[in-house]
Amino acid sequence: MFLTMKVAFRNISRQKKRSFLLAGAIAFGMMVITLMNALTGGAVINIRDNFSHALGGHVFITGREWTEAGQMIMKIRPDANLDRLLEENARQIEAFTRRSQAMPSLIFGSQQTMHLLYGVDFSEEDRLIDSLVVVEGSLAELGKRDDIIVLPEPVAERLGVEVGETVLIRLETLTGQQNVGEARVAAFIKDQEELGLSAAYTSRANLNSLLGMEPHEYQILNMFVTDLDLVDQFARTFREGLLSPEEAEEAEDEPEVTVTVAGMPIDPGTRTQEVTPWEGTRYQVMNINQIMEAVELVVGVLNRVGLVIFLILLVVTMVGITNTFRMIMIERTKEIGTMRAFGMQQKQVKRIFLWEAVLLGLLGCLGGLVIAGVIALAVGSVSLNTDPSLQFFLNNGRITFSLPLQDVAVNVALVILTSLLAAYWPARAAAKMSPMKALSSHT
Amino acid sequence: MAIVELESVKKVYTLGKAEVHAVRGVTFSIEKGDFASIVGPSGSGKSTILNMIGCIDQPTEGIVRINGTVTGGLKDKELTKLRHETLGFIFQSFNLIPVLNVYENIEFPLLLGKNRRSRKETREWIEFLIEAVGLADHMHHKSNELSGGQRQRVAIARALVTKPEIVLADEPTANLDSKTGQSIIELMKKMNSELNTTFIFSTHDRSIMEIADHVIQLLDGLIVEDSKTKAEAGSIS
Ligand SMILES: Nc1ncnc2c1ncn2[C@@H]1O[C@H](COP(=O)(O)OP(=O)(O)OP(=O)(O)O)[C@@H](O)[C@H]1O
Ligand SMILES: [Mg+2]
């Protein structure tokens, strides 16, 4: 084996130009598939990050209950069971926030606009406060007073309001009554990542009073987990802890609760259905992966398209390898005859060719990966200021690449396999050549 | 003891419908230690006979016995093994493996089978051979950096490296000028007497033929003369 490998290795370096072309073709295919996979892989991560950023968490718990009047409302009351779960799983929770939310009309003078408004407890929102980029005003007052509001810059512009002035907030309470309150504008913030996704923020106490809720009640519990890979498991823990088995089963058939991003519902399946009222609060636990399913579906299709392109390139390369190896076989007829005369067995002759194919494949893979890496680095270092809708796929305006090692391994294995397949017939023909004919050839 | 025996050997090649009777019934034997030469004009069947002795071709009729083994009916794998164990080859156009240097070319046949010697012994043996063929200064040259005569010296060392019973050489001097050719045959003769290896070579050069102690003359696929001059061999012929 060592001998055949050595001869194969020398043969590869003998015809440098030819080896370079073959390995180059393989490298090209490898580069395309690697970039494609890494690009989609990076996009998935970015989309997930951007989603969780926009949604303010990885796992979302909502609660619904029925009023005496027979209305279903979204709210979570203080719950010892939930507090216990939070405590027990504290090590897996990086941060959690409890928010209320509404889609009120914000009014200033004769201007008004509908915008998503979160009622937050500023004392547990370090993460949010860190992420807000203040354009005007200050965040110093947050947490000290309740009747203040932070507005995204575009909203402020639309209303024509200045920092320090007061806007009206008009909304419906949970039970559907019209209500109006007011809040002083503390600051303008930059529209988050130019997505138009930034909400307005006020204190939870303020929004709750407008919605007709107690100050310590809330609508969504958002959690950031420490290990995103375990998020499904983590969500299951909460689901099992909060829902009785029958509830869990019933919940399967119920319409999903609506999670909103900038007032747009993200709802995997909106099915309206008659529901029988229940006692107390019924929880619903969603996690980022459930939202990502649709994204991953698209990515899966993209990757499959990439794979098809890759396979086509491989087949083309394979034809090239087969032809070249057939030529090589004829070129080396005499050499093969000599080796056979000295006692090289047929399978060893075959092995030389197969090793050459493997080495070419490996060289190609290596080249392709290196080129892909260089391109990824180059592209990743450029900050793109494009259409806001594209920003959702990016990480701070940069394209990122991510490719799991096992995907690379699969691609490399595919390349080696096709190279072997391509070389197999010429290799066999070379092995089967009669040593006498080989020796009497005049090449 | 006869190390090579041919009994009524015939070889017919079929080229489409035409049949070429390359060898038309030859019987001879070569003793161990012979420095034998097969001579004859072009097309007389020299190469065909050497190929059959060399186990890279098989007779259409008759028996070829190498070191006691009848080659007819052996499978490729067994023939290859027989070649590796008992035969060495020297070719008209040298046939060094271009990707290997002098040392590696000589070492090559050893790597094809199980090597019973230690690394050190192997190395010493190869270096001894390189010394013996006068290429000590060219050990790490590639074959394209050598002259024809030097290449053929490498080929001689390579043919001897496995300590084969028999070395076959089909017109080893045909691609060399007569002076170099002479020195190659003399080198072969030297190795023949030093290592007691049987050499069988073909030539159509009468002056080279004279160095042989056993000359088989061919014409049109038949033996016209089989003569031995090796008095001290004490053979019964
Ligand atoms: N593979 C083959 N197929 C068909 N005919 C062949 C083949 N090999 C040799 N012959 C024929 O057999 C005859 C003997 O050929 P061979 O090569 O043994 O002669 P030779 O004595 O070695 O000649 P030269 O001195 O030219 O090498 C020739 O007529 C040749 O044409
Ligand atoms: Mg010949």
Side-chain angles (χ1 to χ4, degrees):
Chain A
M1 182 160 116
F2 187 70
L3 174 73
T4 52
M5 209 170 140
K6 175 162 136 185
V7 173
F9 189 76
R10 299 279 178 87
N11 281 338
I12 290 276
S13 47
R14 163 154 73 169
Q15 282 274 357
K16 291 208 174 61
K17 196 171 153 199
R18 194 161 59 191
S19 301
F20 182 80
L21 283 175
L22 282 178
I26 295 170
F28 180 72
M30 192 68 188
M31 181 197 78
V32 170
I33 185 78
T34 306
L35 280 179
M36 188 108 179
N37 286 349
L39 198 67
T40 52
V44 168
I45 292 177
N46 293 341
I47 291 169
R48 191 161 69 174
D49 284 354
N50 289 333
F51 257 126
S52 50
H53 197 168
L55 295 170
H58 299 134
V59 177
F60 320 97
I61 298 175
T62 52
R64 291 164 302 160
E65 60 181 60
W66 293 89
T67 61
E68 275 161 22
Q71 271 179 302
M72 191 174 76
I73 57 169
M74 241 178 88
K75 104 171 169 187
I76 299 176
R77 297 166 183 273
D79 178 346
N81 185 33
L82 181 53
D83 290 342
R84 180 185 57 80
L85 279 168
L86 285 173
E87 193 150 320
E88 279 174 7
N89 296 289
R91 281 177 54 202
Q92 287 190 65
I93 304 171
E94 199 178 302
F96 68 87
T97 60
R98 288 167 289 204
R99 295 178 174 181
S100 298
Q101 64 179 47
M103 197 65 192
S105 293
L106 301 174
I107 305 165
F108 182 72
S110 59
Q111 301 295 319
Q112 66 168 300
T113 180
M114 291 247 281
H115 202 80
L116 178 66
L117 175 64
Y118 282 123
V120 303
D121 177 350
F122 288 106
S123 67
E124 61 184 22
E125 295 276 2
D126 293 345
R127 221 185 153 100
L128 170 70
I129 293 170
D130 282 347
S131 74
L132 296 179
V133 180
V134 179
V135 181
E136 216 184 311
S138 112
L139 301 178
E141 267 186 309
L142 302 184
K144 297 194 184 106
R145 294 182 51 167
D146 284 339
D147 59 342
I148 53 174
I149 190 166
V150 175
L151 294 177
E153 200 180 6
V155 175
E157 274 166 19
R158 233 170 291 147
L159 292 174
V161 70
E162 297 292 334
V163 169
E165 292 178 318
T166 300
V167 292
L168 288 182
I169 303 168
R170 190 175 70 208
L171 43 61
E172 280 183 4
T173 64
L174 287 185
T175 50
Q177 273 93 45
Q178 292 289 329
N179 201 357
V180 179
E182 56 183 32
R184 200 164 55 80
V185 178
F188 299 158
I189 51 169
K190 204 169 154 76
D191 195 20
Q192 225 172 64
E193 297 173 22
E194 293 155 32
L195 292 171
L197 280 176
S198 284
Y201 298 92
T202 183
S203 71
R204 196 172 72 208
N206 188 27
L207 186 59
N208 279 6
S209 78
L210 289 170
L211 287 170
M213 287 160 66
E214 298 296 321
H216 45 271
E217 291 174 346
Y218 54 97
Q219 290 183 299
I220 300 188
L221 173 66
N222 298 327
M223 291 183 276
F224 285 99
V225 295
T226 47
D227 186 352
L228 203 45
D229 290 338
L230 300 176
V231 67
D232 286 324
Q233 170 65 40
F234 178 81
R236 198 172 316 128
T237 310
F238 273 80
R239 199 168 294 129
E240 280 163 9
L242 292 171
L243 276 68
S244 70
E246 311 89 72
E247 275 180 348
E249 202 169 295
E250 267 180 60
E252 296 275 296
D253 311 323
E254 281 174 29
E256 298 273 337
V257 82
T258 309
V259 175
T260 56
V261 176
M264 309 253 290
I266 303 172
D267 192 345
T270 322
R271 290 159 295 175
T272 35
Q273 216 173 334
E274 280 300 307
V275 200
T276 41
W278 57 80
E279 287 287 308
T281 307
R282 182 171 288 184
Y283 291 99
Q284 225 164 12
V285 182
M286 283 268 281
N287 79 55
I288 192 81
N289 283 350
Q290 285 165 280
I291 297 166
M292 288 301 290
E293 265 165 28
V295 175
E296 262 150 20
L297 207 73
V298 174
V299 165
V301 170
L302 277 179
N303 278 341
R304 232 158 289 147
V305 169
L307 186 67
V308 168
I309 296 174
F310 182 51
L311 288 178
I312 290 170
L313 283 173
L314 276 186
V315 168
V316 172
T317 318
M318 205 170 127
V319 172
I321 292 179
T322 305
N323 282 335
T324 311
F325 273 46
R326 212 179 280 149
M327 213 163 76
I328 287 176
M329 181 195 100
I330 293 164
E331 264 171 38
R332 294 194 201 146
T333 300
K334 200 178 213 168
E335 203 177 310
I336 294 166
T338 308
M339 297 196 284
R340 294 276 287 123
F342 277 101
M344 180 173 271
Q345 293 288 0
Q346 293 186 345
K347 61 178 183 203
Q348 288 174 295
V349 174
K350 196 153 99 185
R351 237 178 260 155
I352 291 181
F353 277 74
L354 296 181
W355 272 122
E356 278 181 48
V358 168
L359 286 170
L360 271 179
L362 281 176
L363 264 168
C365 286
L366 200 74
L369 287 174
V370 167
I371 297 169
V374 168
I375 292 178
L377 273 180
V379 171
S381 67
V382 180
S383 191
L384 299 174
N385 256 329
T386 52
D387 189 35
S389 63
L390 258 180
Q391 298 291 331
F392 215 70
F393 300 96
L394 308 179
N395 179 4
N396 288 325
R398 286 170 211 275
I399 295 176
T400 50
F401 297 86
S402 162
L403 186 60
L405 217 59
Q406 72 242 37
D407 288 9
V408 177
V410 166
N411 292 340
V412 170
L414 264 175
V415 167
I416 302 294
L417 207 77
T418 37
S419 307
L420 278 175
L421 216 66
Y424 185 79
W425 296 107
R428 213 176 92 116
K432 286 260 183 287
M433 206 154 50
S434 122
M436 185 192 63
K437 289 233 176 67
L439 283 168
S440 59
S441 91
H442 291 281
T443 44
Chain B
M1 184 192 93
I3 193 146
V4 174
E5 287 177 285
L6 273 74
E7 282 173 32
S8 322
V9 168
K10 292 185 185 169
K11 181 72 194 182
V12 182
Y13 291 112
T14 38
L15 283 172
K17 278 187 185 145
E19 284 191 340
V20 182
H21 293 261
V23 175
R24 300 190 293 159
V26 300
T27 303
F28 67 84
S29 60
I30 288 168
E31 304 296 316
K32 180 157 175 55
D34 271 6
F35 194 66
S37 156
I38 297 175
V39 284
S42 186
S44 57
K46 304 184 294 291
S47 297
T48 307
I49 287 175
L50 280 176
N51 285 345
M52 288 188 289
I53 298 173
C55 302
I56 55 178
D57 201 0
Q58 286 184 309
T60 317
E61 239 179 81
I63 290 171
V64 175
R65 206 178 277 118
I66 306 297
N67 209 8
T69 309
V70 176
T71 65
L74 290 185
K75 292 204 186 68
D76 180 85
K77 196 176 167 189
E78 294 155 337
L79 286 172
T80 306
K81 191 156 172 273
L82 187 62
R83 283 200 299 273
H84 184 249
E85 285 168 358
T86 42
L87 295 160
F89 294 84
I90 298 167
F91 304 98
Q92 179 179 329
S93 45
F94 326 127
N95 293 18
L96 298 187
I97 295 167
V99 290
L100 303 178
N101 66 26
V102 167
Y103 183 93
E104 290 165 334
N105 259 290
I106 297 171
E107 184 190 28
F108 180 82
L110 285 179
L111 300 177
L112 288 170
K114 288 185 207 80
N115 192 356
R116 283 165 225 90
R117 278 175 286 250
S118 75
R119 266 165 180 274
K120 186 162 166 285
E121 272 179 307
T122 305
R123 183 153 198 104
E124 280 168 2
W125 167 236
I126 294 170
E127 279 167 2
F128 166 81
L129 285 173
I130 293 177
E131 188 78 36
V133 299
L135 285 173
D137 298 337
H138 297 78
M139 207 179 318
H140 301 293
H141 286 56
K142 284 270 163 65
S143 72
N144 59 6
E145 298 162 351
L146 301 174
S147 71
Q150 286 171 327
R151 287 183 205 189
Q152 203 59 307
R153 284 164 187 276
V154 177
I156 290 170
R158 176 176 65 176
L160 289 166
V161 77
T162 54
K163 299 194 174 149
E165 302 275 355
I166 308 154
V167 170
L168 301 172
D170 192 1
E171 311 217 27
T173 61
N175 280 10
L176 301 170
D177 61 73
S178 61
K179 192 158 153 276
T180 316
Q182 192 77 29
S183 74
I184 287 294
I185 293 296
E186 271 157 17
L187 175 62
M188 282 165 53
K189 177 73 191 146
K190 183 185 106 180
M191 301 316 276
N192 162 255
S193 40
E194 274 179 23
L195 303 170
N196 199 31
T197 309
T198 311
F199 273 75
I200 307 170
F201 66 97
S202 71
T203 183
H204 47 238
D205 186 337
R206 297 218 143 249
S207 67
I208 279 171
M209 172 192 110
E210 256 131 47
I211 306 173
D213 50 32
H214 183 172
V215 178
I216 295 161
Q217 292 199 46
L218 290 179
L219 187 65
D220 290 338
L222 288 169
I223 295 179
V224 289
E225 198 186 321
D226 184 347
S227 61
K228 292 189 185 183
T229 53
K230 205 178 186 180
E232 73 273 28
S235 63
I236 342 130
S237 70

